[in-house]
Amino acid sequence: MRPPPRPTALRFAERLLPKLWSAGVLPPPDLDEDRLFRQARRAAKLDDFGPDDAWRDNLSVLLEALRDAPMNAIGRTIAHGSILKVLVDRLRAEAVLAAHPEIRARPLAPPLVICGQMRSGTTRLQRLLACDDRFAHLRLYETLSPVPGPHAGRDPRIRWAGFGLRFINWVNPGNAAAHPTGPMEPDEETGLLEHSFWGAQIEAQRRIPAFARHCESADALPAYRRFADLLRLAGWFRGSDPKLPWLLKSPQYLQDLTTLSEVFPGARFIFMTREANALVASGCSLVWNQMVVQSDMVDPAWIGREWLHKTALRQARADAFRATLADTRAFALDFADMEQDWRGSVRRLYDWLDLPLGEALIARTEAYMARERRHIGHRYRLADFGLTPEGVTAALAASSPAYRPSSTATDAAVAAS
């Protein structure tokens, strides 16, 4: 296996942080649950975190898993900062919801949900559809911080999202190659699930298998009810029309489709697919690029085993759920078709949606694709993560009777998803 070398900037940042803690310039990260709650109350100047609808259990499982996780100085700092941010956001959200009970009564139109494994082309499809102002979508800064703090003028969440993104891309430029984005770009709603300490975005950054197994088996309903309230809150802050359907996208949804459908009755689903070997190899590469920022002991073979398991689990759940849907609620779109003829794929999708493709929308999608094509992608191989095409096929076939391997398997690729 030949994982990429650790970036020089990452090694520099790892050495710098402990010196800043010792000098008192930055407080050392503290993952004690009680102290995190006290710090959040102090920072927000608020006290009510809202009802305990299982999110505190999720947090306790996460903190226990983090104690066993091999994290470096950056990893401990990011873990502490992200948990503290969620707690502060929960306090602020509860204050707004208590002051404005009409928010929770705000209707939500049935959303359009893009369902696909990591690296199946879901980001590209989301950004193409986000060109259409008949759908609402969240931007990166909104999903990173779903609840605006008190401010006047330009939203400070935009500045902080840009700062965090520049830092992550500085310590590991591989992140930008694997997933180019910006504060104002349409992006998946992982931050809304993190409000309940739920979802694969948390586990994709760290080696925390106990937390992963918890999220695979625990009840997802409280997390998605909170998710829906945060969408209502976002729409209320914007003053947008509640009849506008949200455009939703996250690989996590494949794991929780039954629950998501319960919370959003009438939702329509676009299922993205991709040849399995390239899909798994690219997904493992993305996870490696996130984990290597936060740990000095990232094991590529463990990533291969863990994310092949995750891919198989999600595929099985997605296949079972999709079998229950009428054709009017499910549309299939393949990565290869989008690569070969994205215009034709989009036309077929809009025919299914029964929406016209006007000239202005076509021009916006052309502009986006011209910009997207400048992204050169990143390289990945199954072998770098201890995997083989035969092993991938066996794992996916064992998990889902509906799985059929592609006839165009490949073990290496350069692509963007």
Side-chain angles (χ1 to χ4, degrees):
M1 291 180 288
R2 297 184 295 103
R6 303 182 80 245
T8 302
L10 178 56
R11 297 195 295 270
F12 171 77
E14 288 172 3
R15 293 193 298 270
L16 177 63
L17 278 171
K19 295 177 181 177
L20 296 177
W21 299 337
S22 298
V25 177
L26 290 176
D30 187 343
L31 296 177
D32 177 81
E33 187 168 338
D34 290 337
R35 282 192 286 272
L36 280 163
F37 276 81
R38 287 198 297 271
Q39 289 172 347
R41 290 187 175 104
R42 243 186 346 261
K45 299 181 174 59
L46 295 166
D47 191 63
D48 182 13
F49 288 99
D52 180 9
D53 53 2
W55 67 269
R56 291 194 66 155
D57 285 344
N58 298 340
L59 174 59
S60 295
V61 173
L62 173 59
L63 288 171
E64 184 64 32
L66 288 172
R67 292 186 189 102
D68 297 328
M71 292 189 294
N72 57 27
I74 295 175
R76 293 194 299 275
T77 300
I78 291 175
H80 172 266
S82 60
I83 292 171
L84 182 60
K85 180 187 73 65
V86 169
L87 292 174
V88 170
D89 276 356
R90 285 194 69 94
L91 288 166
R92 289 174 175 165
E94 287 304 314
V96 175
L97 292 168
H100 299 277
E102 70 273 15
I103 296 174
R104 281 199 166 105
R106 183 181 172 90
L108 287 171
L112 182 61
V113 185
I114 301 172
C115 308
Q117 303 276 6
M118 289 195 314
R119 320 308 290 169
S120 63
T122 56
T123 295
R124 175 170 51 190
L125 182 61
Q126 182 193 32
R127 290 177 182 171
L128 274 169
L129 290 173
C131 296
D132 191 336
D133 56 14
R134 290 169 291 189
F135 300 110
H137 65 272
L138 291 183
R139 290 157 290 194
L140 178 67
Y141 81 88
E142 292 172 303
T143 185
L144 290 177
S145 295
V147 186
H151 66 272
R154 183 173 170 83
D155 194 326
R157 294 178 297 169
I158 301 172
R159 182 179 69 253
W160 281 109
F163 172 79
L165 194 61
R166 287 192 297 274
F167 174 76
I168 292 296
N169 291 341
W170 172 67
V171 295
N172 183 19
N175 277 301
H179 183 71
T181 190
M184 303 301 291
E185 291 280 7
D187 219 296
E188 58 194 48
E189 306 79 33
T190 51
L192 276 60
L193 290 174
E194 285 193 61
H195 251 241
S196 300
F197 299 102
W198 186 268
Q201 179 59 23
I202 297 172
E203 60 193 84
Q205 299 180 54
R206 310 162 184 99
R207 185 168 175 167
I208 45 175
F211 177 77
R213 302 294 86 81
H214 171 76
C215 290
E216 290 169 5
S217 59
D219 185 5
L221 189 58
Y224 281 90
R225 284 176 173 160
R226 181 71 174 190
F227 177 102
D229 279 343
L230 291 171
L231 280 183
R232 293 184 176 99
L233 187 63
W236 180 82
F237 269 113
R238 294 176 177 184
S240 59
D241 184 350
K243 295 178 182 177
L244 205 63
W246 285 95
L247 178 63
L248 305 180
K249 188 275 286 191
S250 172
Q252 179 68 31
Y253 301 152
L254 287 182
Q255 196 168 307
D256 304 326
L257 281 168
T258 301
T259 301
L260 189 148
S261 185
E262 180 179 346
V263 173
F264 298 101
R268 290 181 292 177
F269 300 88
I270 305 170
F271 289 89
M272 294 291 299
T273 58
R274 186 182 183 185
E275 188 277 314
N277 294 322
L279 177 84
V280 173
S282 183
C284 289
S285 176
L286 178 63
V287 171
W288 190 92
N289 274 291
Q290 294 187 76
M291 286 191 176
V292 75
V293 172
Q294 302 193 42
S295 176
D296 301 336
M297 297 179 288
V298 181
D299 180 359
W302 180 86
I303 290 176
R305 294 190 301 271
E306 177 71 6
W307 287 90
L308 179 56
H309 156 79
K310 183 67 69 179
T311 302
L313 173 78
R314 290 176 176 173
Q315 188 65 52
R317 292 189 181 182
D319 288 345
F321 176 77
R322 187 178 173 189
T324 69
L325 292 178
D327 289 345
T328 54
R329 293 186 61 198
F331 184 85
L333 191 56
D334 190 71
F335 183 94
D337 292 337
M338 286 288 289
E339 285 284 287
Q340 294 164 13
D341 181 16
W342 71 267
R343 295 175 184 86
S345 296
V346 168
R347 285 191 209 99
R348 290 193 300 274
L349 173 57
Y350 269 76
D351 286 344
W352 175 75
L353 292 170
D354 196 23
L355 289 174
L357 264 170
E359 290 184 7
L361 176 56
I362 291 172
R364 288 196 293 271
T365 60
E366 292 280 359
Y368 165 70
M369 286 302 293
R371 179 164 57 95
E372 197 262 356
R373 289 300 186 194
R374 294 199 295 267
H375 171 55
I376 61 173
H378 72 299
R379 295 185 179 274
Y380 39 82
R381 298 191 314 153
L382 281 178
D384 289 342
F385 301 95
L387 299 174
T388 64
E390 296 78 13
V392 169
T393 297
L396 294 176
S399 69
S400 175
Y403 174 71
R404 295 291 181 272
S406 169
S407 60
T408 57
T410 179
D411 187 34
V414 179
S417 62

